[in-house]
Amino acid sequence: HSEKITVAAASDLKFAMDEIITAFKKAHTGDEVDVVFGSSGNFHTQIQQGAPYDLFFSADINFPRELVKGGFAASEVKPYAVGRIVLWSASLDATKMTLASLTAPNITRIAIANPKHAPYGKRAEEALRASGLWEKVQAKLVYGENIVQTAQFVQTGNAQVGIIALSLAGSPELAPKGGYWLIPDNLHKPLEQGFIITKHGENNSLAKHFADYMDSSPARIVMAKYGFVLPGEVSKK
Amino acid sequence: MANIQARFQLDWPGFTLDIDLALPGRGVTALFGPSGSGKTTLLRCVAGLERAPQGFLSVNGEIWQKDNYWLPTHQRPLGYVFQEASLFPHLSVMGNLCYGMKRSANVQASALDKPIELLGIGHLLDRKPDRLSGGERQRVGIARALAVNPRILLMDEPLAALDIKRKQEILPYLEHLHDALDIPILYVSHSPDEVARLADHLVVLEGGRMLANGPLAETLARLDLPIRLGEDVGTVLDAKVGAIDSDWHLARVDFLGGSLWAREHGIPIGRHVRVRVLARDVSLAQQAPGQSSIQNVLRGRVDAIGNDGHPGLALVRVRVGDSMLLARLTKRAVAELGITLGQELWVQVKSVALME
Amino acid sequence: MANIQARFQLDWPGFTLDIDLALPGRGVTALFGPSGSGKTTLLRCVAGLERAPQGFLSVNGEIWQKDNYWLPTHQRPLGYVFQEASLFPHLSVMGNLCYGMKRSANVQASALDKPIELLGIGHLLDRKPDRLSGGERQRVGIARALAVNPRILLMDEPLAALDIKRKQEILPYLEHLHDALDIPILYVSHSPDEVARLADHLVVLEGGRMLANGPLAETLARLDLPIRLGEDVGTVLDAKVGAIDSDWHLARVDFLGGSLWAREHGIPIGRHVRVRVLARDVSLAQQAPGQSSIQNVLRGRVDAIGNDGHPGLALVRVRVGDSMLLARLTKRAVAELGITLGQELWVQVKSVALME
Amino acid sequence: MALTDGDLQAIWLTVRLAGIVTVILLLVGTPIAWWLARTKAWWKGPVGAVVALPLVLPPSVLGFYLLLAMGPDGPVGHLTQTLGIGLLPFTFWGLVTASVFYSLPFMVQPLQTAFEAIGDRPLEVAATLRASPLDAFFTVAVPLALPGFLTASILTFAHTVGEFGVVLMIGGNLPGETRVASVQIYDHVEALEYAQAHQLAAMMLVFSFLVLLGLYAWRPNPKKG
Amino acid sequence: MALTDGDLQAIWLTVRLAGIVTVILLLVGTPIAWWLARTKAWWKGPVGAVVALPLVLPPSVLGFYLLLAMGPDGPVGHLTQTLGIGLLPFTFWGLVTASVFYSLPFMVQPLQTAFEAIGDRPLEVAATLRASPLDAFFTVAVPLALPGFLTASILTFAHTVGEFGVVLMIGGNLPGETRVASVQIYDHVEALEYAQAHQLAAMMLVFSFLVLLGLYAWRPNPKKG
Ligand SMILES: Nc1ncnc2c1ncn2[C@@H]1O[C@H](COP(=O)(O)OP(=O)(O)OP(=O)(O)O)[C@@H](O)[C@H]1O
Ligand SMILES: Nc1ncnc2c1ncn2[C@@H]1O[C@H](COP(=O)(O)OP(=O)(O)OP(=O)(O)O)[C@@H](O)[C@H]1O
Ligand SMILES: [Mg+2]
Ligand SMILES: [Mg+2]
């Protein structure tokens, strides 16, 4: 008999997750897998209110941790990737840049995600602080609601550069539009990402299968392809 | 008792209505009074559109307002012709006419035929009110109020915007209506002509109070009120058609005290009629008048002499048999003719108006 | 030439206006006609509120409409009294009165004093229109139109909602106005009384067309139109105050053909006046009448005999000197007196109205 | 133009949602507006102000509060559970409920103005012609306020179509159930699938333009004729 | 209740933004509504529909398109750069521009209805009293449409206060410049700082309630007196 799951996934997983699900479905013909992308914070709130998501892939491991604490999860928090941030530009050649280039006068707007609640934004702030640049560039910063909006600020040319997720910069949509420079991960805390099976997915065997599939090599290959560092691996420099 | 009892008090800044009225339960009561005297306000109180606290109103035995009891307007079986036609702007003329009819008991659709024809609005039925002339709107307003089979009609200057010819077509219909339907009509009008013609009963208002209230003939003959009727002061006689001269289209009407010739309107012999005699049409003479175009000559006795609005004019009340006539003379004529109370005189009446 | 030329054609479903008019450039022109005959539409065309394509309008030498030229309403120096008072609901009475005044050249604030007093609206100045009675609204509308110092006045039944007393106060003012200001007034009215009193010129409309257009006296004396004036058919004489009898408050007015005594209104000797004689007030006699309360007796010659509205009545036109009088008689009286064209008769006039 | 199945589903859901919300608000908002237009009670002011309040909160925040209220521990949630309806969030009817709440002022405000503009006279006339207040309301007030109803419905419908902050929060973006077109376009944009976003947005615009154009062409003036 | 400096700044910014947008829309929307209410041109329909269109796009999507248009490569961006104003995104005036565009229907629709309800007569009367069309517009049409202006302003103001989808996209969430209260509340919620979110939201609600209450108490009926 066929089963159905709904996966709630952070926006930065968009490209990788689509590909993983396509592959997963091939192995589970007849079963249905819906995926919903959005803000991890929203999902966290919604799951507390009984949202019908079976798995929750958060961009910030703290959200699933809290859900486990609150008894809204049917599994442990499983880390599935570590995110990386990059300097990305659509109008300049970002491959030749470093964080220090941000002080250049021709750069008037720098987009980062809102460090207050977006995990990629927090890491961007940390990296800038660690490089001693935070005070110098703060006046140039504009804040995206999430990492995608941040990318859009850059993509539309309204900001010359932005700090976005590696997974986005390497995506088929953005890769052709500009280059990136990978920000060394020693400049910021690791951006740990984790997922859980929610209470809603507790008795859904398909949810378990999917969780297991995330650990399989086909899934890991896809994740790596989109720039995620996988748990237990060391990032390539 | 079949009548109307009304007691209303309203206090508005700048205006106070204070009315305690008993009116006959049938026939036309004219409300007469200067602009701003409270005529419309009184009608609105009767209709329940204005709420006079602690007022009292009973209409032919049914209580419509008393202490805290209050019959809502839509449950009062009345017809109201507003001072401004107030048609529904979103409905065609036909829609306006049918609106009340559909909501009234015992009314067939054919009840509209007669008013429509008489008021000459047949060609307007499909129009929206914004495409009507002032008088056309008013006529539709009248027809609409008539179509609800009311048990009392409240009409606020219904004919004000109409030309004489049209008025003369509508008046007989209203006369007929009040005979046929046997319902009371409260009729506001500034036209003494209409009042004299239609009314059985006259209420004179001023500044929110009642100046006079009584049967028409009696009230019209009061010498202390005449100025309000201006040129058209006069009296009304109850009479009967005594003969018809069909060659000359004249009718002889007999009243207590004599006969008069009037224009004939197809009213059959024996029928009771009202005859209106304006003071301006009455002249007095010492000797029997010679042959003249004035064909009505009566014999009467001077009953009272009073002032008229103008200092040069006098009103002389003459008793002819049991009836009263008013004559308007110059004071000089009064002096030259040596008119005194009790004197016998010839009374010449140039023209009289006959009303059914 | 100082006059008004107007040519308008309008085609509406169910109504066609087709007017080609020349009117005198001063004095009062009465527009007379049944409901729906196009009186309001004509005024609106003159005011520029209705646009008759290819129309033509010139007022005292200024062209207001011609071919494609079109002077917008607000640039036409006119005063308009609407058929429904149409006060601005958001302004107080005072605000309404001042609205036009503030926008007109050569008007002092004191210009309002007289109309306010005369129209009796002084106690209403702070009220909003929704708290006025029908007649009060109309009076404010009149005052508002007068306050703009217009070069032409358009008045659409301005006195329809007013009582007689108020009318009698306002009419002399309007008369005075048209003498003093020397501007043309187009005046729609259903009241023959008002028309006869005010108008110098009469236009009769029916179904959007002109039935008659001419000086008042001439048009009133036309025997083919009388029915439209109903009871109030009559003629107007030009006369001069010849003597005043202050004891009896009477004035003698002399006209071409004789003299008449009328109530006196403080008009000084020698002043030109108009005298209105209603056909109903005129009687005819073969022999010199004896002493009676009718004090005006003239000698005249029968000029024409026509029908009146009722089959029993006749209108007889009598030439007195150079002037014309109409007498309304029963046909029987015509026969009994043997009235024929050219015959000499005694003309008794019971009452005349004197207008400045 | 090739819309995906998901797009079509989303459009259909949107039309259904906006239609249902507009109808419900016509039913709910009309009496409120009528009452506000005609009452002289002192609490008219507070009620009027409260009706307009949902407007001032950011949609997703409003959505957050609604989610709390309608969730298993919220008062509305308790109520719906007691009534046996279950929980509203993440269901189509939850969306409807939230949108009704959120769009209320767009219905009430224009209606109130339209009702006030009618004045007393037509209702007085209706009463003298035997129409009960309810009858007069439907046969006089409503037809005379028709342009107001049109304005109110346009604003409500369009606003419901465009709204996604509340919808996203309450609805949870479930395909076929709560993923309306606005959310779908938003998702396309978030996924950087601009071509698809443009397509769906253009489609929505054209469709809405035609609907609005139709409404305008028919735009009634009850007083002209 | 202790609001942070950021909160106060955001509130002040919000009031300023909503106030400016409302004033600009009064200036821009009024002539449009007047024209729509009185013209008989055939393109009245299309124009009316276009004015209402911004409503049907989800705010953040609309924001995205505005971002494109106002960016360095967009038509508006070209224009503003040529005019020496620079680029609008991430500035207060960019927010104003976007909000004006987005809130236009809330101003135009109620005004149009209110203007239509006036009818021809008062303007005819004004013309016979020497008032030019412009004069009559200000001294007759505007006072008579006052309830419509109030409704339109309430909807516009409140909607601008509450809107954050467009604002986030165009504004870039810059404290003191584009971080209005709606964004600030949203940020609090997103950061799970519920207490602060509640506080600020409550504060906004109370403030808005008082403003609305004041408006209601004063709510003019130009025809009563
Ligand atoms: N907008 C319109 N469209 C079509 N017909 C109209 C319109 N306005 C008026 N009419 C018609 O034109 C005719 C003339 O109207 P108008 O208002 O000029 O009459 P009037 O002589 O002033 O009548 P009244 O004495 O009743 O005021 C009427 O038959 C009326 O029905
Ligand atoms: N809503 C109101 N508030 C205060 N005063 C009012 C109100 N309505 C009317 N009035 C005043 O009450 C008085 C009586 O008004 P009403 O309408 O009854 O007069 P009317 O006799 O019908 O006059 P008209 O012949 O002019 O129609 C007037 O002086 C008027 O100004
Ligand atoms: Mg009245
Ligand atoms: Mg007219």
Side-chain angles (χ1 to χ4, degrees):
Chain A
H1 77 121
S2 68
E3 275 181 306
K4 181 186 168 194
I5 51 170
T6 305
V7 178
S11 301
D12 67 329
L13 279 173
K14 164 76 186 164
F15 304 100
M17 189 57 81
D18 277 347
E19 208 171 314
I20 291 172
I21 287 175
T22 310
F24 178 73
K25 273 190 184 164
K26 277 200 191 111
H28 293 81
T29 44
D31 292 326
E32 237 185 290
V33 182
D34 278 337
V35 61
V36 174
F37 298 100
S39 137
S40 305
N42 279 358
F43 287 140
H44 164 253
T45 308
Q46 287 173 325
I47 287 165
Q48 285 179 327
Q49 300 300 324
Y53 305 133
D54 301 295
L55 293 117
F56 169 36
F57 288 77
S58 173
D60 183 337
I61 201 160
N62 290 320
F63 288 125
R65 277 186 187 143
E66 271 190 44
L67 288 175
V68 170
K69 249 186 257 164
F72 298 100
S75 72
E76 293 292 285
V77 181
K78 301 185 188 166
Y80 64 86
V82 176
R84 294 295 306 270
I85 52 177
V86 299
L87 207 55
W88 187 72
S89 174
S91 49
L92 310 169
D93 185 0
T95 55
K96 303 214 173 74
M97 291 168 106
T98 65
L99 284 183
S101 333
L102 294 180
T103 53
N106 66 327
I107 293 177
T108 55
R109 293 286 188 200
I110 304 160
I112 67 173
N114 194 339
K116 182 154 182 194
H117 55 75
Y120 284 100
K122 284 194 189 108
R123 302 302 172 265
E125 179 179 344
E126 285 162 15
L128 286 171
R129 284 192 190 279
S131 330
L133 290 168
W134 177 254
E135 269 74 30
K136 293 191 190 126
V137 299
Q138 202 179 8
K140 300 182 182 183
L141 293 178
V142 297
Y143 303 97
E145 177 203 343
N146 55 36
I147 201 64
V148 173
Q149 197 177 79
T150 309
Q152 283 167 341
F153 286 165
V154 180
Q155 191 190 0
T156 56
N158 286 293
Q160 290 85 16
V161 292
I163 299 178
I164 65 174
L166 172 62
S167 58
L168 263 183
S171 74
E173 309 291 337
L174 288 191
K177 304 254 165 65
Y180 64 83
W181 176 72
L182 190 68
I183 296 173
D185 60 2
N186 56 7
L187 289 179
H188 59 82
K189 286 191 225 150
L191 209 165
E192 271 190 291
Q193 308 189 322
F195 77 93
I196 50 169
I197 297 174
T198 67
K199 265 265 167 335
H200 189 269
E202 190 161 18
N203 301 316
N204 190 325
S205 58
L206 193 61
K208 300 230 163 48
H209 289 143
F210 192 79
D212 295 343
Y213 185 77
M214 281 309 288
D215 239 0
S216 70
S217 63
R220 294 173 72 98
I221 291 171
V222 173
M223 290 295 284
K225 182 172 117 197
Y226 284 100
F228 291 101
V229 178
L230 296 171
E233 287 182 10
V234 187
S235 64
K236 48 183 173 170
K237 265 283 154 84
Chain B
M1 205 188 80
N3 68 2
I4 300 171
Q5 300 277 351
R7 198 169 59 241
F8 299 118
Q9 289 202 2
L10 268 180
D11 242 317
W12 283 338
F15 177 77
T16 307
L17 184 79
D18 187 354
I19 296 271
D20 191 346
L21 253 174
L23 298 175
R26 51 161 309 186
V28 178
T29 296
L31 295 180
F32 208 78
S35 169
S37 58
K39 306 179 295 294
T40 300
T41 310
L42 176 57
L43 285 198
R44 287 174 60 84
C45 286
V46 173
L49 297 174
E50 211 73 63
R51 196 161 187 158
Q54 299 307 315
F56 176 86
L57 175 64
S58 78
V59 175
N60 289 342
E62 274 177 47
I63 290 190
W64 287 6
Q65 182 179 0
K66 183 181 181 177
D67 302 331
N68 290 320
Y69 176 73
W70 172 265
L71 192 66
T73 301
H74 69 279
Q75 289 172 12
R76 304 185 179 191
L78 47 81
Y80 197 124
V81 180
F82 286 82
Q83 192 166 7
E84 311 83 18
S86 307
L87 303 184
F88 292 126
H90 62 297
L91 295 179
S92 68
V93 168
M94 195 62 194
N96 269 279
L97 294 178
C98 291
Y99 190 92
M101 210 180 63
K102 281 188 286 191
R103 290 168 174 77
S104 308
N106 310 322
V107 188
Q108 290 105 0
S110 64
L112 274 176
D113 298 349
K114 183 75 188 154
I116 287 178
E117 185 206 324
L118 190 97
L119 291 156
I121 50 178
H123 61 297
L124 305 172
L125 295 180
D126 295 332
R127 294 237 194 116
K128 282 281 185 76
D130 76 319
R131 304 215 160 170
L132 299 181
S133 81
E136 286 164 352
R137 276 197 289 275
Q138 208 174 23
R139 284 182 272 157
V140 176
I142 298 172
R144 184 176 66 174
L146 294 179
V148 299
N149 191 21
R151 293 223 300 280
I152 177 172
L153 254 178
L154 309 173
M155 308 183 90
D156 202 346
E157 302 195 43
L159 305 185
L162 296 184
D163 54 296
I164 294 184
K165 195 172 155 209
R166 185 65 71 181
K167 272 188 193 172
Q168 281 173 349
E169 285 164 24
I170 299 176
L171 277 172
Y173 178 68
L174 293 180
E175 279 165 18
H176 167 76
L177 202 74
H178 104 244
D179 285 351
L181 295 186
D182 196 20
I183 57 167
I185 302 182
L186 295 191
Y187 192 96
V188 174
S189 172
H190 289 307
S191 157
D193 213 57
E194 288 172 28
V195 170
R197 178 143 185 194
L198 279 179
D200 305 296
H201 198 93
L202 182 63
V203 173
V204 181
L205 294 182
E206 196 165 281
R209 299 176 167 275
M210 231 163 56
L211 274 196
N213 174 18
L216 185 71
E218 215 171 87
T219 317
L220 283 181
R222 271 174 66 179
L223 291 183
D224 58 332
L225 292 173
I227 191 177
R228 274 158 243 298
L229 291 176
E231 283 301 298
D232 290 295
V233 72
T235 52
V236 173
L237 307 174
D238 282 319
K240 192 185 261 188
V241 176
I244 289 186
D245 181 338
S246 48
D247 291 346
W248 298 113
H249 299 279
L250 296 176
R252 197 193 71 217
V253 291
D254 304 330
F255 64 99
L256 296 175
S259 321
L260 292 165
W261 285 96
R263 293 172 232 170
E264 186 258 343
H265 289 292
I267 303 171
I269 292 180
R271 178 74 68 86
H272 276 281
V273 291
R274 293 202 286 164
V275 177
R276 180 173 177 222
V277 184
L278 294 183
R280 56 182 296 167
D281 287 332
V282 179
S283 51
L284 305 175
Q286 297 281 25
Q287 301 103 35
Q291 204 185 17
S292 105
S293 61
I294 302 181
Q295 304 219 310
N296 290 314
V297 181
L298 301 165
R299 191 81 183 138
R301 180 187 300 277
V302 175
D303 185 66
I305 304 175
N307 286 320
D308 198 356
H310 184 271
L313 295 182
L315 279 177
V316 177
R317 188 159 73 203
V318 185
R319 179 177 293 274
V320 179
D322 272 353
S323 305
M324 294 290 190
L325 292 178
L326 285 178
R328 170 178 283 157
L329 314 183
T330 61
K331 288 205 175 137
R332 187 166 68 180
V334 172
E336 285 178 6
L337 289 174
I339 292 176
T340 50
L341 284 183
Q343 188 185 9
E344 293 254 345
L345 283 165
W346 294 99
V347 182
Q348 286 178 293
V349 181
K350 173 142 169 69
S351 121
V352 304
L354 211 144
M355 309 162 200
E356 202 172 352
Chain C
M1 204 189 78
N3 69 2
I4 300 171
Q5 301 275 351
R7 200 169 57 241
F8 300 118
Q9 290 201 1
L10 269 179
D11 243 317
W12 284 337
F15 177 76
T16 306
L17 183 79
D18 188 354
I19 296 271
D20 191 347
L21 243 155
L23 297 176
R26 49 162 309 185
V28 177
T29 296
L31 295 180
F32 209 78
S35 170
S37 57
K39 305 179 295 295
T40 300
T41 310
L42 177 56
L43 285 199
R44 287 174 60 83
C45 286
V46 172
L49 297 174
E50 212 71 66
R51 198 164 186 154
Q54 300 307 316
F56 177 86
L57 175 64
S58 78
V59 175
N60 288 343
E62 276 177 44
I63 289 190
W64 287 6
Q65 182 178 0
K66 184 181 182 177
D67 301 331
N68 290 321
Y69 176 73
W70 172 264
L71 192 66
T73 300
H74 69 279
Q75 290 171 13
R76 303 186 179 191
L78 48 81
Y80 197 124
V81 180
F82 286 81
Q83 193 166 5
E84 311 82 18
S86 306
L87 302 184
F88 292 127
H90 63 296
L91 295 179
S92 68
V93 168
M94 195 63 196
N96 269 279
L97 293 179
C98 291
Y99 189 92
M101 210 181 64
K102 282 189 284 193
R103 290 167 173 77
S104 308
N106 310 322
V107 188
Q108 289 105 359
S110 64
L112 274 176
D113 299 347
K114 183 75 188 153
I116 287 179
E117 185 207 323
L118 190 96
L119 292 156
I121 49 179
H123 61 297
L124 306 172
L125 296 179
D126 296 332
R127 294 237 194 117
K128 282 281 186 75
D130 77 318
R131 305 213 160 173
L132 299 181
S133 81
E136 287 164 351
R137 277 197 290 275
Q138 207 174 22
R139 285 181 272 156
V140 176
I142 298 172
R144 183 175 66 174
L146 294 179
V148 299
N149 190 21
R151 293 224 298 280
I152 177 172
L153 254 179
L154 309 173
M155 308 184 90
D156 202 345
E157 302 195 42
L159 306 184
L162 296 185
D163 55 296
I164 294 186
K165 194 172 153 208
R166 186 65 72 182
K167 272 188 192 172
Q168 281 173 348
E169 285 164 24
I170 299 177
L171 278 172
Y173 178 68
L174 292 180
E175 279 166 19
H176 166 78
L177 202 77
H178 104 244
D179 284 350
L181 295 185
D182 196 18
I183 58 168
I185 303 181
L186 295 191
Y187 192 96
V188 174
S189 173
H190 289 308
S191 157
D193 212 58
E194 288 172 28
V195 170
R197 178 142 187 194
L198 280 178
D200 307 294
H201 199 93
L202 182 62
V203 173
V204 181
L205 294 182
E206 195 165 282
R209 299 176 167 273
M210 231 163 57
L211 273 196
N213 173 16
L216 184 71
E218 214 172 85
T219 318
L220 283 182
R222 272 175 65 179
L223 292 184
D224 58 332
L225 293 174
I227 191 179
R228 272 158 246 298
L229 290 177
E231 282 301 299
D232 289 296
V233 73
T235 52
V236 173
L237 306 174
D238 283 317
K240 192 186 262 187
V241 176
I244 289 184
D245 181 339
S246 48
D247 290 346
W248 300 111
H249 299 280
L250 296 176
R252 198 193 70 217
V253 291
D254 304 330
F255 64 99
L256 295 173
S259 320
L260 292 166
W261 284 96
R263 293 173 233 170
E264 187 258 344
H265 288 294
I267 304 172
I269 292 181
R271 178 74 67 86
H272 275 280
V273 291
R274 292 203 287 164
V275 177
R276 180 173 176 222
V277 184
L278 294 182
R280 56 182 296 168
D281 288 332
V282 178
S283 52
L284 304 175
Q286 297 281 26
Q287 301 104 35
Q291 205 184 13
S292 104
S293 62
I294 302 179
Q295 304 219 310
N296 290 314
V297 182
L298 302 163
R299 191 81 184 137
R301 179 187 301 276
V302 175
D303 186 67
I305 304 175
N307 287 320
D308 198 355
H310 184 271
L313 296 181
L315 278 177
V316 178
R317 189 159 71 201
V318 185
R319 178 177 294 272
V320 178
D322 273 355
S323 306
M324 294 290 190
L325 292 178
L326 285 179
R328 169 179 283 156
L329 314 183
T330 62
K331 287 205 176 139
R332 187 166 67 178
V334 172
E336 285 178 5
L337 289 175
I339 292 176
T340 51
L341 284 183
Q343 186 186 9
E344 292 254 345
L345 283 165
W346 292 100
V347 182
Q348 286 178 293
V349 181
K350 173 142 168 70
S351 121
V352 304
L354 210 146
M355 309 163 199
E356 201 171 353
Chain D
M1 232 167 48
L3 295 175
T4 65
D5 277 359
D7 289 346
L8 289 176
Q9 207 176 35
I11 289 175
W12 166 232
L13 211 57
T14 302
V15 171
R16 212 155 68 96
L17 173 68
I20 291 175
V21 168
T22 306
V23 169
I24 292 181
L25 273 180
L26 278 171
L27 297 178
V28 173
T30 305
I32 297 178
W34 181 246
W35 181 82
L36 283 173
R38 304 205 57 86
T39 184
K40 291 187 183 91
W42 67 265
W43 34 297
K44 164 189 177 146
V47 172
V50 162
V51 166
L53 271 190
L55 270 182
V56 302
L57 283 186
S60 73
V61 174
L62 187 71
F64 171 70
Y65 286 121
L66 287 176
L67 187 60
L68 291 186
M70 305 197 317
D73 305 322
V76 180
H78 277 299
L79 184 74
T80 53
Q81 281 177 312
T82 327
L83 293 178
I85 308 172
L87 289 171
L88 288 175
F90 316 116
T91 67
F92 180 74
W93 290 102
L95 276 199
V96 170
T97 311
S99 300
V100 161
F101 185 70
Y102 184 58
S103 290
L104 188 61
F106 296 102
M107 184 58 82
V108 171
Q109 288 270 349
L111 280 186
Q112 183 182 348
T113 314
F115 283 143
E116 281 171 349
I118 294 176
D120 296 334
R121 179 51 64 91
L123 300 166
E124 291 184 354
V125 174
T128 69
L129 294 172
R130 308 271 189 287
S132 68
L134 198 70
D135 186 354
F137 171 76
F138 283 112
T139 54
V140 176
V142 168
L144 285 177
L146 221 54
F149 274 94
L150 190 68
T151 298
S153 302
I154 287 180
L155 292 180
T156 304
F157 190 93
H159 188 252
T160 311
V161 168
E163 177 42 33
F164 84 112
V166 172
V167 163
L168 200 58
M169 201 60 158
I170 296 291
N173 202 350
L174 304 175
E177 174 89 4
T178 61
R179 185 179 290 168
V180 294
S182 59
V183 171
Q184 178 86 346
I185 302 180
Y186 174 77
D187 277 357
H188 282 315
V189 171
E190 286 288 288
L192 310 178
E193 298 165 355
Y194 295 134
Q196 290 175 50
H198 296 343
Q199 212 175 71
L200 189 52
M203 158 87 203
M204 294 269 292
L205 284 179
V206 169
F207 172 76
S208 306
F209 179 78
L210 292 178
V211 170
L212 291 169
L213 194 62
L215 285 175
Y216 260 87
W218 167 80
R219 187 173 185 90
N221 191 333
K223 297 176 192 169
K224 288 277 162 78
Chain E
M1 230 166 47
L3 295 175
T4 66
D5 278 358
D7 288 347
L8 289 175
Q9 205 176 37
I11 289 175
W12 165 233
L13 210 58
T14 302
V15 172
R16 210 154 70 96
L17 175 68
I20 290 174
V21 167
T22 306
V23 169
I24 291 180
L25 274 180
L26 279 171
L27 297 177
V28 174
T30 305
I32 297 178
W34 181 245
W35 181 82
L36 282 173
R38 305 206 56 87
T39 185
K40 292 188 182 90
W42 67 265
W43 34 296
K44 164 188 177 145
V47 172
V50 162
V51 166
L53 271 190
L55 271 182
V56 301
L57 282 186
S60 72
V61 174
L62 186 72
F64 175 70
Y65 287 123
L66 287 175
L67 193 62
L68 277 182
M70 306 199 314
D73 304 323
V76 181
H78 276 299
L79 183 75
T80 53
Q81 282 177 311
T82 326
L83 294 177
I85 307 172
L87 288 173
L88 288 176
F90 314 128
T91 66
F92 180 73
W93 291 102
L95 276 200
V96 170
T97 311
S99 299
V100 162
F101 184 71
Y102 183 59
S103 290
L104 188 62
F106 295 102
M107 184 58 82
V108 170
Q109 289 270 350
L111 280 187
Q112 182 182 349
T113 314
F115 284 143
E116 281 170 351
I118 293 177
D120 294 335
R121 178 53 62 88
L123 299 166
E124 291 183 355
V125 174
T128 69
L129 294 171
R130 309 270 190 287
S132 66
L134 197 70
D135 185 356
F137 171 75
F138 283 112
T139 54
V140 176
V142 169
L144 285 177
L146 222 53
F149 274 94
L150 190 69
T151 299
S153 302
I154 287 180
L155 291 181
T156 305
F157 191 94
H159 187 253
T160 310
V161 167
E163 175 42 32
F164 83 115
V166 171
V167 164
L168 269 177
M169 201 55 149
I170 295 292
N173 205 344
L174 302 178
E177 174 91 4
T178 60
R179 184 180 293 166
V180 294
S182 59
V183 170
Q184 179 85 347
I185 303 180
Y186 173 77
D187 282 352
H188 282 316
V189 172
E190 287 288 293
L192 309 185
E193 300 167 354
Y194 293 137
Q196 290 175 49
H198 295 344
Q199 211 174 70
L200 188 52
M203 159 88 203
M204 293 272 292
L205 283 180
V206 169
F207 172 76
S208 306
F209 178 78
L210 292 178
V211 171
L212 290 170
L213 195 61
L215 285 175
Y216 260 87
W218 168 80
R219 185 173 187 89
N221 191 334
K223 295 175 193 171
K224 289 277 163 80

